[in-house]
Amino acid sequence: MHRRSPLFPLSSPWRGTLAAATALPGLLLLPLGCASSPGAAPREEAGPPPLQARRKWGLVIHGGAGVMSRDTLTPEREAEVRARLTESLQAGHAILAKGGTSLDAVGAAIRVLEDSPLFNAGKGAVFTHDGRNELDASLMDGRTLAAGAVAGLRHVKNPIDLARRVMERSPHVMMVGEGAEAFAREQGLELVSPEYFRTEERWEQLQRALEKEKAAGGKAPATGVSPRPEDGKFGTVGAVALDQAGNLAAGTSTGGMTNKRYGRVGDSPIIGAGTYANAHCAVSGTGHGEFFIRHTVARDICARVEYLRVPLQEAADTVVRDVLVKAGGEGGVIALDAQGAVAMPFNSPGMYRGYMREDGQPFVAIFQE
């Protein structure tokens, strides 16, 4: 068992002073941080901290929210989704278990989801009105408040990796379009042809959206109206992590909105809206991007935890189930605080989500379970 070191080493020049001091009647020297009172029992040497006092750490992920029901989601598709969510958790958790950083864990978890056609991010990105794929992502370090974000990407295989390069290797927070991709080339990140992102499922979603638009006269939605996704799902992926050193991080990645126009950018790459992390809280959101931006959803949750001192679950519930609902916004968030508490509220029928704590047991869910 580890024993407390002496207050001063035996070779210390204070040794003689200590000897003289201990000879004085009525003077009792105690190790730093100790207290005593007359008649107090001798203090036993402290053993390892109790289980509940040990530092907690873990990872939470999401794969989008929206209209999901057991009637529309086949057993085969549900099994695939749950398998990829579990793989994402395992990738991030493996890093945390080895003492890795929350930033590394968030990146690893999101890359798994970006590489899967099941989610609207990376490989599974939806199509714009012009038949292109435009990807956005952001990442934030809760320890330093450093952040990186990218938007309008067309060739970067893993946007979350470019967001980190922006954060760590540039003086900026956000880069967009061709400029962001030029930076990606300078950084040696993997670039792919536009065909890499094409999937028939997403292409068919665009065709259905175009047909509906044509039937409505081909008019864009009125000002202030945020269109609902064609498939009823807000396809964004994200992760938040707390590492063994107690540092939080958050990241989010998306393919945007089916049939979007005019270079529209949602909340996913907006720090404070779809992504935020500080020393108290980390949040990644998925839902009506315009509403998440207007109400700075991610930052609002963390501010309630930091300034109002309310529990994480209460803060997240208030913003998602009250503030957003009253505003007409739909979606959900994943959140993690510095004590390891997890919150995953959503106001839509379902949300792909999951978490893994120190015990290494993955939990994944889709519906109101």
Side-chain angles (χ1 to χ4, degrees):
M1 177 180 294
H2 173 73
R3 303 189 66 83
R4 184 185 300 273
S5 299
L7 183 60
F8 298 99
L10 293 180
S11 59
S12 169
W14 291 91
R15 184 179 178 187
T17 304
L18 284 173
T22 54
L24 294 176
L27 178 61
L28 177 63
L29 291 180
L30 294 171
L32 293 177
C34 293
S36 181
S37 60
R43 184 170 182 246
E44 295 184 2
E45 181 181 27
L51 183 61
Q52 63 271 22
R54 295 175 186 172
R55 186 182 296 280
K56 293 183 178 181
W57 52 272
L59 174 78
V60 192
I61 64 170
H62 73 78
V67 179
M68 304 167 189
S69 69
R70 299 183 192 278
D71 295 332
T72 58
L73 191 64
T74 67
E76 294 76 17
R77 182 63 172 250
E78 180 178 343
E80 290 177 355
V81 168
R82 290 179 180 272
R84 292 292 77 74
L85 292 174
T86 300
E87 182 183 349
S88 172
L89 288 170
Q90 292 170 336
H93 188 274
I95 291 173
L96 295 175
K98 295 177 181 178
T101 68
S102 53
L103 282 171
D104 287 342
V106 165
I110 290 179
R111 278 192 297 275
V112 170
L113 302 178
E114 286 180 335
D115 291 344
S116 171
L118 296 172
F119 307 95
N120 178 18
K123 175 65 176 175
V126 298
F127 285 90
T128 68
H129 179 80
D130 297 323
R132 303 187 302 186
N133 305 103
E134 296 178 355
L135 297 82
D136 312 328
S138 63
L139 183 70
M140 188 166 187
D141 183 350
R143 182 177 65 87
T144 64
L145 299 187
V150 290
L153 305 180
R154 298 187 58 204
H155 300 89
V156 178
K157 181 174 182 289
N158 292 107
I160 195 65
D161 290 341
L162 182 55
R164 182 160 184 178
R165 296 298 179 91
V166 171
M167 178 181 74
E168 295 181 337
R169 302 188 184 183
S170 87
H172 310 301
V173 171
M174 177 176 280
M175 296 183 185
V176 302
E178 294 180 359
E181 298 206 321
F183 182 68
R185 284 191 291 273
E186 291 179 4
Q187 294 297 310
L189 293 182
E190 184 175 0
L191 303 179
V192 295
S193 67
E195 288 72 26
Y196 167 81
F197 301 107
R198 181 189 175 98
T199 63
E200 288 306 309
E201 179 180 0
R202 300 306 190 192
W203 182 253
E204 291 173 3
Q205 287 175 359
L206 173 62
Q207 303 315 305
R208 291 194 294 270
L210 291 173
E211 290 175 2
K212 291 181 180 179
E213 183 177 272
K214 184 178 180 180
K219 296 181 180 180
T223 301
V225 176
S226 180
R228 186 183 187 85
E230 187 276 334
D231 63 349
K233 299 183 181 65
F234 302 101
T236 303
V237 306
V240 294
L242 174 66
D243 60 33
Q244 296 191 46
N247 299 320
L248 290 157
T252 312
S253 181
T254 187
M257 180 181 293
T258 296
N259 197 33
K260 72 174 184 176
R261 297 191 187 191
Y262 318 118
R264 177 263 186 188
V265 176
D267 65 301
S268 295
I270 306 298
I271 300 302
T275 302
Y276 192 79
N278 60 18
H280 306 272
C281 171
V283 175
S284 173
T286 172
H288 265 122
E290 282 68 21
F291 290 93
F292 276 61
I293 295 172
R294 293 172 186 140
H295 295 276
T296 58
V297 165
R299 175 57 177 146
D300 188 8
I301 292 171
C302 289
R304 291 169 186 268
V305 172
E306 180 179 1
Y307 300 126
L308 298 182
R309 306 292 184 183
V310 301
L312 179 71
Q313 187 70 58
E314 179 182 339
D317 281 345
T318 298
V319 174
V320 173
R321 303 181 189 277
D322 184 21
V323 175
L324 274 181
V325 169
K326 289 178 179 176
E330 187 177 346
V333 303
I334 54 171
L336 192 60
D337 71 12
Q339 289 70 49
V342 172
M344 304 184 293
F346 52 98
N347 59 39
S348 53
M351 182 170 78
Y352 298 141
R353 63 199 188 278
Y355 65 82
M356 187 180 286
R357 293 194 171 101
E358 311 96 299
D359 60 9
Q361 296 299 313
F363 169 85
V364 296
I366 298 176
F367 311 107
Q368 296 279 2
E369 301 175 17

